Amino acid sequence: MQREKKGGATRALTIVVRGLILVAAMLLCSSRVLADDIGEFLGRRVTRVEVLVEGEPDTRLRELNSILEVSAGQDYSPVRIHDSLIRLYHSRLVAAARVEAAADGQNGVSLKFFVKPQARISRVVFEGKPLFPAAELRARLNQLDVGERVTAGAVSRGLGDLNAYYSARGYYQAKITSDVRLDATNTSAVVVYSIDTGEQAKVSKYTLDIKGAKVPIPKPKKGQTAIVEGQPFAQSSVQDEMDRVRDAYLAQNYLAVKINGNTLPDTNANTVAVTISVQSGPKTQIDVEGIKIDDKDKRKTFPFYTVGGLDEFTLDEGARRLQEYAQTKGYFFATVTSPPAPDPEASSAKLVYKVDAAQKYKLSSINIEGVNAIPHETLEEQMKTRQASAIGFGSGRIGRTSDDMLRQDSNLILKRLREIGYRRAHVDVRRAVSVDGKRLLVTFDVKQGPRSYVHEIGLRGNSLFTSDELMKQVAIHPGDPMTAVGVTKTLDRLLFAYTDRGYASAEVTPTEVDIGNADGQENVRLIYSITEGNRVRIHGVITRGDAVTSSQRLENDFYLFKTGDWLRNAKLQETERQLYDTNAFNSVVITSEPIGVSTGGIEDRDVSVNVLEGKRRDAIFGIGYQTNPGNVHVPGLQFLHGLRGMTSITYTNVLGKLYSATAQIRVAETELFGQIAFQNPRPFGTNYPGLVSIIGQRLADKSFRSDRYTALLQLEKKYSNNFIAYISYYFERINIFDLQGPIEEVQRNERPIRLGRIGPSFLLDKRDNKFDPSHGYQLLGSFYVAATALGGNEEFVKFFAQHDRYYAVKRFRDTVFSVSGRIGLAAPFGGKDSLPISERFFAGGAHDLRGFGFEEAGPQTTAIVDGSPEQFPLGGNALFVLNNELRFPLYKILGGVVFSDTGNVFRRIQDFKIGDLTESVGVGLRVKTPIGPVRLDLGFLVWNRPEGIRSHHLHFTIGSSF
C-alpha cells in the first residue's frame, strides 16, 4: 500500500488474447502474466466488472456481460478470467480481447474487459458484368450469409464457388476478384466480387459414341437445350442430351443402358468438345410369372423402366415393388424371386420375376385395438389400408393393403396419438386368415401408454416483455394435456408478440422436460426459450421484376409496409397474398436483407419485393351439355340441342395499374349471354375491389322469353380466403316476350320492366374441392331492395340463401353424403302483390327437384299450344328446396348416386304449407373428369305430383348438382 501511495500509480495485471478470426485457424495470443502482480491480487474480492467495446461502445454490451465467467462479489481468480476470455472468443462476437485488473480499495479489485468486435457481413454485392441475377449468385455462396462472420476462408471459398458456377455455363475465361470493405467501426463488412465473365465458350465438336445397338434419338422437348456445334456451351445442355438419349433407349427396352458425358475445354480457343458415350447393353424383356400384370402397370412398377440400370439393387427393388403390387391385388402373402442381372455384352436378354402368389384373400376386417383416445372411424378414414366393400369393383371388392401401406398406417396412428400427448405409444401389426381361409384380418395392436400433461410452463430469454405479459399469450396451461396443437399455437402467439413489435428475427423454441409420473400420467415441464434478437426497421423498399406494373401503384396501394416502419413479418405475408389475388403475377417473393446493425440494438433492413409478372391476356373456352326437355329455346339457337359453349377473354394489369378487363360470351339453346367487366382491385387506394360491368342476356324460360340489359356496380370485401362479402347496385331493363299465362300477367309484362336494386351478398366456402367436394360446407346468400327511388318502376325486397354440407361416410371409402338447403323469399310493396315474372323463383330440373322437368315445379297455368293444352310455370315469391344425396364409387372414375329432393315453389310467402311440398327420389351415375363430374340422373316424382306432370325425368349435365 505504501508503494501505491508513493508512486501515485495503479498497478495492473494485463492479460492479452488475440483471436485472429479473419484466418481459418484459431490463434489465441499468449497472455502476459506478472508473478508479482498475481501475488498482490490473489485473495481480493472482485468489486466491479466492465466490458468495453472498442469502436462501437453500445454494441451487444449486455450480451457480452452475460458471457463472462467472472462477476462482482466473487473472489479474484485468474482461472475465471482465463475462462471468460475463452468464452468471449467462442461466442464468435469478438475478434480480440484483453483484460485489465486494478486495485479498488484495500481488499478489492476491478476488472475491465476490452474487446474488439468481430466484423460481420452486411451485404454481398457483385460488380462488373455478372450477367446472372444477384439472388442466384448469392445462393451459390456458403458461409457468406448476412450476419455471418467475415473470414478469409469463406471469402476464398465463395470465389471458387463462383468460378465453378460460371465454368458450368461455359464462361471459362471469367475473371473474378474479391474484396472486403469494412465500415468505420470495423464491425460491418461488405463482401464485393468483381466479375468480368468474358465471352461464353462455344461447342467445337459433339460426338455421340455408341457401343452396341443404335436407336433413333428424338428432338429436344420444350424446355430442353440441344448441343449444337458452333453454338454457346452450357453444362445443362449436356445433361439434357444425356437424358434424351437415355429415354430413347429405355423406350426401346434397352434397360441396362449406360450413358456418360465428357467435356474437354480448350481455354485458349474458348471452345469445348463434348462426347456422350453410350453402352446400349442387351434389349431386355421382362416377364412376370405367377400373377397377371399388364404392360402399363409393369412400367409403373419396375424402376429400371424410368431410370435404367439392371443391377442387383434395381432388380431387388423391382421385386419389392412387384410384391407390393401383388399385395394390393389381394395376394397379401405373396413372395417374389428376382432374376440375376443380364450379361451386359449380350444383344438381348429375358428376365423372369417369379411370384408365389399363394391364396387370394378378401380384406374383411380392420381392427384397431388398444386405442380409446381417438375414434377408430377417424383413424380408418385416414388410413391407406382399405377394407373390402360390398359396393364397388376391382380392389374395392377385395380391399387394399400391403407391407408399405401397413407401415404408413402404423406411423399414422403413432403420429395422431403423439399429437394429443401419448408420447410413449407403440404399434404392432398382425395379419391373420379366417377359418374358411378366404378372408384376411388385419389388427393394429396399439399400446397407448400414459398421457403427458403439462405440469409447469416456463419462459427463458425474454426481456422486452415481462413473463406475466407473455403468459397471457399461452394457449396451453398447467393441467392440460400435452397436445401438439397447444404447443404450436402458443409458440405462434409468442412469436407474433415479438414480430408484431418489429423483432423480425426473434426465435421461440419449445422444450419438453420430463419430471416424473403420477396417477398413470406423465408430467412435463414445458419451457419456451426466446431469442429476441434486434428490432428491425425498414431502411428502404425495393421492387424488382416490375416490367409493366407501376411500382408507385404497388407502394401506394398494395404494400402494407413503408420505409421507416418496423418490420412485421405478418404484413409481408399478407402483402404477398394480396398481390397473388390480383392474378397479375405468377410469383411473388418478399424478403428482407440486413444492411448493418445500428446502435441501440436496432437493425436496418431493405425489403425486396420480387415479382414475376404473368400473362396479361388469357382466353378460356368451354363446352358442355344439358338436357332440355320440351321446346324451350332462344330464337335461332334451337340447332344446339342441349350443347353449351363459353368463351372468356381477360386482360390483366391494364395500364400497369393492376386493373383487369374481361369479355365473356355464353351460348346455349336456352341462353345467349354477353358481359364486359372492368375491375379495380384498389379503388381510391381502399382495399375494397370494385367492379363495373355491362351485361346483356337473352333467356328462354318455359313460359316466357326475356331480354335483360344490366349495368352493375359492385364493391367486394374479402374477410378471409373463405369468406367474401359484396355490396351491389343493379340497374336493369327487361323485356318479356311470348308469355304464356293469364291475361293479367300478359298485360302487366307487356311494357318494359326497369329495376334499380341494391343490397349485400356473401359467400362462405369451406369445401375441400370446388368441382367435386367430399367434405366441408358452403353458405351463400343475398338480399336486395328494388325501388323507384333507385331508378326502377318495380318495388320489392328479395332474399335468397343456400347452405350445402358434405360428409365423408367413415365406414365406406370415397362415399360422401351431402345435403343442401335453399330458401327464397320475396315480397312486393308499392301496391302490388307479386313480382314481375322475370324476378320470381322457379324450380325443377337437374339442379334442384329432379323429379320435375325444367322449371316445372310450383304454380302452373294452362295454355293451348298447337291445339293441345300445355302446362306453363308461373314461378312464385317463395322457394324451399332440400336435397339429400349419397355418392359412392363403382369402378375407377365411375360412381353412383341415390338421392331425394324435397321442395316446391309457392305463389306467395303466406301460401307456404308443409303438406304442399313435393318429394322426388332417384338414382344416378357420375363420371369424374378434370372439370367436374358428368351426371346422369333419373328422378321419380313420388309425392304431390301435379296434374299434367310426368312421374319421372332423365337429366344429363356436367357439374355437381350442388
Side-chain angles (χ1 to χ4, degrees), residues 795-799 825-829 832 835 877 909:
E795 298 186 311
F796 58 85
V797 293
K798 189 175 183 180
F799 167 79
L825 303 172
F829 59 91
K832 297 175 182 176
L835 274 66
N877 294 355
I909 296 176

Side-chain angles (χ1 to χ4, degrees), residues 327-329 332 363 366 384-388 395 398-402 405:
Q327 290 174 343
T328 61
K329 297 301 180 183
F332 300 119
L363 180 52
I366 300 174
K384 300 278 186 184
T385 300
R386 301 184 181 185
Q387 185 174 318
S395 62
I398 63 172
R400 187 177 178 89
T401 192
S402 68
M405 289 181 181

Side-chain angles (χ1 to χ4, degrees), residues 92-330:
R92 302 165 68 96
L93 298 175
V94 301
R98 61 186 176 88
V99 61
E100 292 183 0
D104 187 5
Q106 292 186 354
N107 299 312
V109 58
S110 65
L111 299 176
K112 292 183 180 180
F113 288 83
F114 295 90
V115 297
K116 181 179 180 181
Q118 168 64 56
R120 295 188 175 271
I121 299 171
S122 63
R123 282 185 299 163
V124 177
V125 299
F126 305 93
E127 296 180 349
K129 298 179 180 179
L131 290 183
F132 299 100
E136 186 173 342
L137 296 176
R138 287 193 191 97
R140 307 290 165 175
L141 304 178
N142 295 317
Q143 299 180 342
L144 289 177
D145 294 332
V146 172
E148 291 287 335
R149 296 182 308 145
V150 180
T151 67
V155 174
S156 179
R157 282 190 293 272
L159 197 61
D161 293 337
L162 290 174
N163 275 308
Y165 177 83
Y166 280 95
S167 293
R169 284 148 185 79
Y171 293 94
Y172 293 103
Q173 297 181 340
K175 296 179 181 178
I176 308 175
T177 59
S178 62
D179 186 25
V180 177
R181 300 171 185 172
L182 298 172
D183 68 355
T185 65
N186 293 327
T187 61
S188 179
V190 177
V191 179
V192 180
Y193 289 100
S194 299
I195 302 172
D196 181 4
T197 59
E199 186 178 351
Q200 188 174 7
K202 291 183 169 56
V203 178
S204 60
K205 186 178 181 181
Y206 170 46
T207 303
L208 183 60
D209 182 17
I210 299 176
K211 293 181 180 179
K214 295 183 178 181
V215 302
I217 308 300
K219 293 181 179 180
K221 298 178 182 178
K222 185 178 181 181
Q224 288 183 328
T225 56
I227 301 175
V228 180
E229 292 181 0
Q231 294 298 312
F233 166 81
Q235 192 66 44
S236 60
S237 62
V238 177
Q239 187 60 53
D240 286 346
E241 188 79 6
M242 292 172 60
D243 292 342
R244 187 162 58 253
V245 173
R246 178 182 290 106
D247 292 344
Y249 274 86
L250 294 178
Q252 299 295 324
N253 289 334
Y254 289 92
L255 304 180
V257 63
K258 295 181 179 178
I259 301 174
N260 293 302
N262 183 49
T263 58
L264 183 61
D266 183 344
T267 55
N268 293 327
N270 200 25
T271 59
V272 182
V274 180
T275 301
I276 293 180
S277 303
V278 180
Q279 186 176 351
S280 68
K283 188 167 186 175
T284 309
Q285 178 182 337
I286 304 293
D287 287 346
V288 176
E289 294 180 357
I291 189 175
K292 281 187 176 182
I293 179 171
D294 59 28
D295 188 65
K296 181 180 179 182
D297 285 340
K298 189 189 297 183
R299 289 184 174 275
K300 288 169 59 179
T301 300
F302 294 116
F304 34 73
Y305 277 108
T306 53
V307 299
L310 290 176
D311 54 26
E312 183 178 351
F313 174 79
T314 57
L315 290 169
D316 288 346
E317 177 63 14
R320 188 192 68 79
R321 293 191 186 183
L322 183 58
Q323 184 184 39
E324 288 281 326
Y325 176 84
Q327 290 174 343
T328 61
K329 297 301 180 183

